[in-house]
Amino acid sequence: MNVDIWLCAAGILWLPGAAIVRLVRAPAIADRATRIAIQLGAGLAFWPILLLWTADTPLRWSSIAVWGIVGVAAAVAFFPFSRPRFVRRVTIHEFLLAAVVAVTGWTRLRAVTGLALPPWVDSVHHTMLVRLFLMRGTVPQTYDPFIPGATAFYHWGFHAVAAVLIWFVGRTDPFSVAGIILSFGQFLNAVAPLFVYAAARSLLRSRTAAVVAAALAGLVSFYPAYYVSWGRFTHLAGVLLLLAWIALAGAAVSQPAVGGLGARRPRSARIRSAVLMSIVASGLALVHVRLAFFAVTFTVVLIGATLLRRRRPVAILIAGALACLIVVPWFVAMRHVAPTALAPSDADPRWTSPADVRANLLWVPHAAELLSLATAGLTGIANIGPLPVVARVVSGVWWLAILAVATKRRRTRPLLFVFSVLATWCAVTLLLVNTTHLQFATNTSAAITAFVPVCIAAGALIAWVTARMHRVALPVIVLVCCVIGVMTLSDVINPATIIANDADVAALRWLSTSTPASSAIAGRVQPWYGGAFIGVDGAYWSSVLADRRSMPPPSLYGWSGSYGRMELFLARWRDEYPFMTRATLTEAKRLGMTHVYFGRGVPLEAPAKTGSVVYARDGITIVAIP
């Protein structure tokens, strides 16, 4: 991993975000850490919005244009200089949060040490989309040449920002592109605790609770650390913007719009707050549709709670209206796709996703323990998880501790309010997902995002219980979380999701230089959603890295057109691989295939029985079909 990529990523996000916050003159933000998170979130939303609104113009983005925008953003963020001021004192909460982010970053770097390419098949189509941005200099309208004849439909906000980063560093070689995507994804993963802190700080109005929530999310929860194993970079970016939205929306309704100029002009303060929220919401809609849906359900619950408290959620309503206007071009472009994606018919299985969430995705390491913390030990006592006996006993002790603290008549009203909002949010989301059968938001997507409310709720309870001794308890809690993170999150990648290593990269480089541009390569395949197929070895990367057609194409092909003949062939190919019959090879040649890719674990005699060996090195063999 390259730390310089992280520094550049921080620059292209923070500078535009800082400029936006300064231009908008947003009302007072809770503290310095929250301000940095909001600035990074605004920067993450800025680039997709900018590319959206320049997509129908003659402008084509390049390194020069990106450097120019970053330079203007730096000028707006820093000039004119104000009077020199001494650096403000760093509080213990800021110091501990910085430690959490630093250790989280170390675990994320450690987790991907030695990886040649991003894991799993999602990374292939992420690389495809980023390369399309680089090739065309704007938002791609089709997936040509990687998926011939396919109209673009996938949310592309993350890919736009990744392309901007690549233009900024000037490394547009396909293999460098894949490496930068992996680095950028891990950078976003490393700063996730900062965004959790901002959201928790806004909802709970407690720095202690916010630091605990950030430590749990970054160093104890298996998500989002495990996202890299699936290549879920888009989902991760959406989670960060969701958290930024929670931070801004929570602040907008938790206190009157006063402070500074806002004390004299509260209406102006609400409008400025709404503008900043609308930028974050618009970026979220472009980055990931399902996370935008979760933001909508949260907002509905928050508005309801605000009205019950006899406050007016004016800023949120204005922000929602502005966000809809900002992303109108995207809505227009998706008008033909949306009906099928929202409610697919039985005759169109391409969009159908599994409704049920698998237990191994829900009950990942530490999930049951965190849920027990968040529910005052009740789920642990009920053995929901399930949990080992020791954890169930600890859950009982935790329940008794909360009862004991409750007898001290500590203030519980804010805590109960936040818990009711989080619990209702989860209930409303699951109810809508299960009753409407939406295809872009499923139970699985909700399960891998549940760490957000769980960690915030657990942080709130822990801070409430330890309030009288937080000066001692908070450093100890952070230290324990750091130890857990170093021990358990430094090696989270499932080996089964690594479909290419250094030997595959060498073979792909050979393909890009030693085979005709019309070549088509197939390797090991397996079924995917909706009757589609995916590749599960280095051959699957050939289209986006070696510019040689892969069989099958990147997985988005399954939602973009009819490939019935190819899929019937791939079903037979899957059953016969690596000893394909002559009839199957003849059919492969009719479909345009020229080479067969044999990766690790293939019997040595298989390549020779297939055709003439043209490449054999480090366990990778490539055969030309006769």
Side-chain angles (χ1 to χ4, degrees):
M1 296 300 298
N2 298 318
V3 176
D4 61 321
I5 299 298
W6 282 28
L7 295 175
C8 291
I12 68 162
L13 296 185
W14 183 78
L15 286 172
I20 289 170
V21 171
R22 185 173 185 178
L23 286 173
V24 172
R25 293 188 298 120
I29 296 176
D31 55 28
R32 184 164 37 191
T34 301
R35 176 174 289 272
I36 293 173
I38 297 302
Q39 290 168 335
L40 289 173
L44 187 60
F46 166 77
W47 292 108
I49 295 172
L50 183 62
L51 268 72
L52 174 68
W53 280 94
T54 58
D56 294 325
T57 69
L59 176 64
R60 291 298 176 262
W61 289 91
S62 63
S63 294
I64 295 175
V66 168
W67 273 91
I69 294 294
V70 172
V72 170
V76 173
F78 291 117
F79 295 103
F81 283 119
S82 57
R83 289 184 305 169
R85 295 186 303 172
F86 292 105
V87 177
R88 287 177 293 174
R89 181 175 63 89
V90 177
T91 65
I92 183 63
H93 295 89
E94 291 173 331
F95 174 79
L96 292 174
L97 179 61
V100 167
V101 174
V103 176
T104 300
W106 183 88
T107 63
R108 301 322 189 244
L109 285 172
R110 182 72 177 173
V112 296
T113 298
L115 283 184
L117 293 172
W120 203 226
V121 297
D122 284 23
S123 299
V124 175
H125 67 247
H126 295 326
T127 304
M128 177 193 78
L129 285 165
V130 173
R131 286 204 62 201
L132 286 172
F133 271 97
L134 299 174
M135 293 162 61
R136 299 176 186 173
T138 187
V139 180
Q141 301 300 312
T142 69
Y143 295 147
D144 290 322
F146 303 107
I147 307 176
T151 301
F153 67 91
Y154 195 72
H155 38 242
W156 46 263
F158 166 83
H159 312 93
V161 183
V164 166
L165 175 60
I166 292 165
W167 276 316
F168 187 77
V169 300
R171 305 178 193 174
T172 57
D173 169 77
F175 293 91
S176 297
V177 168
I180 291 174
I181 291 172
L182 179 59
S183 296
F184 181 48
Q186 288 302 84
F187 168 78
L188 296 181
N189 217 316
V191 298
L194 186 63
F195 284 78
V196 173
Y197 173 90
R201 177 79 171 87
S202 173
L203 291 176
L204 301 170
R205 321 302 298 172
S206 166
R207 291 179 298 172
T208 300
V211 170
V212 175
L216 294 175
L219 296 167
V220 179
S221 175
F222 214 58
Y223 302 132
Y226 189 76
Y227 285 174
V228 65
S229 197
W230 291 320
R232 287 290 182 93
F233 306 124
T234 53
H235 192 99
L236 172 62
V239 167
L240 299 191
L241 287 173
L242 169 64
L243 289 164
W245 169 259
I246 291 173
L248 290 170
V253 301
S254 62
Q255 58 185 7
V258 295
L261 293 177
R264 294 189 298 274
R265 295 186 299 163
R267 180 176 298 178
S268 174
R270 286 197 296 268
I271 292 175
R272 287 185 275 115
S273 176
V275 170
L276 184 56
M277 284 193 289
S278 69
I279 292 172
V280 171
S282 302
L284 177 55
L286 297 173
V287 165
H288 212 300
V289 177
R290 70 168 58 112
L291 273 303
F293 169 75
F294 295 155
V296 168
T297 57
F298 171 82
T299 304
V300 169
V301 172
L302 185 65
I303 289 175
T306 303
L307 293 174
L308 288 175
R309 299 173 77 186
R310 298 182 180 180
R311 294 182 180 178
R312 297 179 180 178
V314 177
I316 295 179
L317 297 176
I318 295 174
L322 289 175
C324 290
L325 290 175
I326 292 173
V327 296
V328 158
W330 173 241
F331 290 156
V332 172
M334 292 295 101
R335 66 187 184 279
H336 299 303
V337 177
T340 306
L342 288 172
S345 66
D346 294 336
D348 189 4
R350 292 176 299 156
W351 300 89
T352 304
S353 299
D356 298 329
V357 56
R358 297 197 302 269
N360 65 324
L361 298 183
L362 180 62
W363 300 115
V364 293
H366 310 155
E369 290 84 352
L370 284 172
L371 183 62
S372 182
L373 280 174
T375 58
L378 294 178
T379 59
I381 295 172
N383 197 29
I384 297 176
L387 288 165
V389 175
V390 173
R392 294 177 65 185
V393 171
V394 173
S395 297
V397 173
W398 177 235
W399 167 246
L400 293 175
I402 290 173
L403 288 180
V405 172
T407 62
K408 305 296 182 181
R409 297 183 180 180
R410 289 187 187 175
R411 191 180 178 204
T412 60
R413 201 171 200 178
L415 184 70
L416 293 176
F417 171 77
V418 171
F419 263 77
S420 64
V421 168
L422 294 176
T424 306
W425 177 31
C426 294
V428 168
T429 301
L430 292 177
L431 181 64
L432 287 174
V433 166
N434 285 285
T435 56
T436 60
H437 303 291
L438 297 173
Q439 294 306 302
F440 63 84
T442 62
N443 284 317
T444 296
S445 63
I448 66 175
T449 314
F451 77 91
V452 171
V454 168
C455 289
I456 292 176
L461 267 182
I462 292 172
W464 181 70
V465 170
T466 61
R468 300 287 173 81
M469 50 181 179
H470 72 274
R471 292 183 181 275
V472 176
L474 183 58
V476 173
I477 292 169
V478 169
L479 178 61
V480 171
C481 290
C482 288
V483 172
I484 293 173
V486 170
M487 294 178 62
T488 63
L489 300 183
S490 300
D491 185 19
V492 297
I493 295 179
N494 184 344
T497 65
I498 300 175
I499 64 175
N501 60 14
D502 290 326
D504 294 289
V505 169
L508 291 166
R509 290 186 183 276
W510 179 87
L511 281 170
S512 68
T513 59
S514 303
T515 59
S518 59
S519 300
I521 294 90
R524 189 185 300 273
V525 302
Q526 72 178 42
W528 200 233
Y529 298 126
F533 280 79
I534 54 171
V536 288
D537 62 10
Y540 201 47
W541 281 96
S542 61
S543 62
V544 299
L545 294 186
D547 291 323
R548 302 298 184 265
R549 189 161 61 96
S550 65
M551 182 77 79
S555 60
L556 293 186
Y557 90 88
W559 288 266
S560 58
S562 176
Y563 288 83
R565 181 186 175 192
M566 183 191 72
E567 288 163 352
L568 288 173
F569 163 76
L570 288 175
R572 189 164 75 250
W573 182 272
R574 183 273 313 267
D575 293 337
E576 296 180 4
Y577 184 91
F579 295 102
M580 287 72 65
T581 63
R582 186 53 53 189
T584 298
L585 291 173
T586 301
E587 177 67 12
K589 203 163 185 178
R590 280 200 293 265
L591 289 171
M593 273 180 50
T594 59
H595 294 78
V596 181
Y597 190 103
F598 295 95
R600 301 172 300 279
V602 173
L604 296 177
E605 63 272 19
K609 292 183 177 181
T610 302
S612 56
V613 175
V614 294
Y615 178 93
R617 191 178 305 161
D618 299 327
I620 307 298
T621 305
I622 301 174
V623 171
I625 300 177

